[in-house]
Amino acid sequence: MERQELTTENVLATLPGPLLAWYRENARDLPWRRTEDPYRIWVSEIMLQQTRVAAVLGYYARFLEAFPSVEALANAPEDRLMKLWEGLGYYSRARNLQKAAKAVAEMGGFPDTYEGLLKLPGVGDYTASAIASAAFGRREAAVDGNVLRVVTRLTDCHDDILDPRTKKTVRERVQAVMPAEAAGIRVFNQATMELGATVCVPNGPPKCDACPARDFCLGRIRGTAESLPVKKPKKARRVEEKTVFLLLREGKAALSRRPDSGLLAGLWEFPNVEGALDERVAAEAVKAMGLTAVEWKNKLTAKHIFTHVEWHMTGYTLSVSGDGPAEWEWVDADGLEAHAVPSAFARYYAEAKEQMKG
Ligand code: SF4
C-alpha cells in the first residue's frame, strides 16, 4: 500500500502507536509513574518544574514520607515544609503546594478536570494537563520543553517556541492525536516527555537511530532536526550586587528573615545590604546595624543565578559585639540547621558551620 505523503499536519497522527510501544520497553522506572494517586503525581510535577529528575528523587521520597497525604501537607508547619524543600530552589513552589493542599483538603479531594486543577495555586497549563491525564485519564495534552522539542522536530516546525502561540498550536496538534482510551491517555504525555528527555535530547544531537519516530520524523528526513526548535534569544539576566555579613558572636551567627513576598520570601539569610561594599564602607554598615566589629576574619565572594537575576555577593566574616536589630536571630550550629537558608547563601552557610566548629 502506498504511504500517504507526510506533512507537518498529518505526521503526528503516526506517532502514538510506535511511541507507546517504545515507552513500554524503555521508560525509566520513576516512583511517580507507579501511581495514579493525584497527590503523588502533583507533588512530582511541582518538584520537576525547573529541576532535574535525578535531583528530585531523594526530595520526593523524603517529602512523601513526611507528608503522606494532602491533609498532612495542608497541616504541616511552614518551617518543616521549607526545611524539606531546602536546596530544591524556587521556594514559591513549596508555598503554593501548601496553599493548594489546603484548598484540596477543604474541597474533600482533588478536582478531576483540567479546568478544576488549573484553579489550584501554582498549577499552570502544563501541570493541570499532566495531572488530569496521568491521574484521571483525561484527554489533555501536557506540553513542556521536551514535548515542544519533539513535536517541532517531528513536524519540521520552525516557529519560535517562546511564542505562546506556538505552544498553543503544538498543544492542539498533540491533543488531536492522543489515544482515546484511558490506559493510553495516562501514559501518552509521559511517553512524549520521556522521548524528549532520553532520545530527542536538548543538548547534543538527537539519537534518531534509537527513536521510534525515525521512519516518519520530518526533521530527520529533511535534515533540520538539529536546528530545531527555534528559540529567540532570551534577555540577559539582571545582575544585583550584594554584601553579605557573616556576623559571629559567642559561637552564634546572625540570621535575618526575608520579607513575606518576593524572591525567597520568608526564608532566612545572613544579613546583607545592596551593593559591593569595600571594607571601609562595610565597617560603617556594621556600625549602622548597632554592632561593634571585634575581629575581621575573611572576605568571601560568591555568585548565585536565579531565572531572571544573578546575585554577585561580597561577603565578610567577622566577630562582633552588640545585639543588632531585634528581629534577628542568633543561632548556633544546630539552630542554623533548623532554619531554612536558601542555597543562594551556600558558601556563607558552609563558612558559618566551619567558624562555629572552632
Ligand atoms: Fe527527534 Fe530524531 Fe526522533 Fe525525530 S527521529 S523525533 S529528530 S530523535
Side-chain angles (χ1 to χ4, degrees):
M1 193 175 71
E2 203 175 304
R3 197 151 98 175
Q4 187 191 6
E5 194 198 340
L6 291 169
T7 64
T8 298
E9 284 66 38
N10 71 17
V11 69
L12 272 186
T14 320
L15 181 65
L19 175 69
L20 293 180
W22 169 84
Y23 184 72
R24 280 192 289 273
E25 290 294 306
N26 296 283
R28 288 169 293 176
D29 179 25
L30 301 173
W32 46 88
R33 291 182 176 164
R34 290 180 223 133
T35 180
E36 291 179 7
D37 176 353
Y39 174 62
R40 286 169 180 256
I41 292 170
W42 169 60
V43 170
S44 75
E45 289 296 346
I46 301 295
M47 285 190 171
L48 287 164
Q49 290 168 4
Q50 327 274 356
T51 311
R52 286 173 309 108
V53 167
V56 163
L57 285 168
Y59 282 93
Y60 182 72
R62 286 191 293 275
F63 193 92
L64 289 178
E65 204 182 308
F67 313 125
S69 66
V70 75
E71 291 76 18
L73 174 57
N75 296 320
E78 188 184 332
D79 274 1
R80 178 134 191 260
L81 170 65
M82 288 300 154
K83 193 66 201 158
L84 277 162
W85 203 268
E86 195 180 25
L88 261 183
Y90 302 93
Y91 291 84
S92 57
R93 291 185 295 174
R95 267 179 241 290
N96 280 332
L97 262 179
Q98 191 170 44
K99 261 196 231 160
K102 286 181 178 161
V104 170
E106 233 167 70
M107 283 186 263
F110 273 87
D112 65 356
T113 61
Y114 166 79
E115 290 77 12
L117 289 159
L118 203 53
K119 291 192 187 125
L120 297 175
V123 173
D125 184 50
Y126 159 79
T127 309
S129 306
I131 304 170
S133 58
F136 301 112
R138 301 271 180 195
R139 210 156 170 269
E140 300 287 353
V143 177
D144 70 347
N146 284 317
V147 175
L148 279 171
R149 183 173 58 260
V150 169
V151 172
T152 51
R153 286 175 174 174
L154 263 168
T155 58
D156 192 27
C157 165
H158 293 247
D159 298 337
D160 174 15
I161 58 161
L162 299 178
D163 181 340
R165 284 170 299 185
T166 308
K167 196 168 172 189
K168 187 166 176 277
T169 309
V170 166
R171 187 173 197 273
E172 286 164 3
R173 284 185 176 156
V174 173
Q175 196 145 318
V177 303
M178 276 181 89
E181 83 297 351
I185 292 170
R186 283 182 198 277
V187 293
F188 183 77
N189 285 324
Q190 285 289 335
T192 320
M193 282 176 230
E194 186 77 349
L195 188 67
T198 62
V199 176
C200 198
V201 289
N203 307 309
K207 302 170 186 170
C208 300
D209 289 345
C211 181
R214 63 187 171 274
D215 292 340
F216 52 88
C217 169
L218 292 180
R220 189 196 66 75
I221 293 166
R222 296 176 185 168
T224 56
E226 276 196 58
S227 60
L228 293 170
V230 172
K231 262 191 218 175
K232 278 208 264 141
K234 280 189 197 158
K235 274 197 265 160
R237 282 191 207 94
R238 192 174 76 246
V239 171
E240 285 181 7
E241 303 273 4
K242 284 184 180 298
T243 300
V244 179
F245 293 96
L246 177 44
L247 304 165
L248 303 163
R249 195 193 65 186
E250 293 157 9
K252 293 184 173 180
L255 288 179
S256 59
R257 196 164 187 264
R258 292 184 62 81
D260 282 334
S261 59
L263 188 66
L264 307 176
L267 299 179
W268 291 88
E269 63 183 359
F270 299 104
N272 57 80
V273 297
E274 296 305 317
L277 310 188
D278 64 22
E279 280 167 46
R280 190 185 56 79
V281 186
E284 284 167 18
V286 170
K287 234 193 214 167
M289 293 168 187
L291 299 168
T292 306
V294 177
E295 185 194 357
W296 292 78
K297 292 175 180 282
N298 62 34
K299 181 175 178 180
L300 292 171
T301 56
K303 188 158 132 179
H304 191 79
I305 297 175
F306 299 93
T307 312
H308 302 296
V309 65
E310 246 176 73
W311 281 0
H312 292 190
M313 294 170 278
T314 306
Y316 293 101
T317 307
L318 61 155
S319 53
V320 295
S321 61
D323 290 333
E327 61 277 14
W328 284 6
E329 286 195 15
W330 292 88
V331 295
D332 60 11
D334 289 344
L336 184 60
E337 278 183 18
H339 286 70
V341 178
S343 55
F345 295 97
R347 183 140 197 228
Y348 304 106
Y349 187 96
E351 179 62 17
K353 293 208 104 178
E354 195 55 39
Q355 292 285 343
M356 285 194 273
K357 257 199 234 162

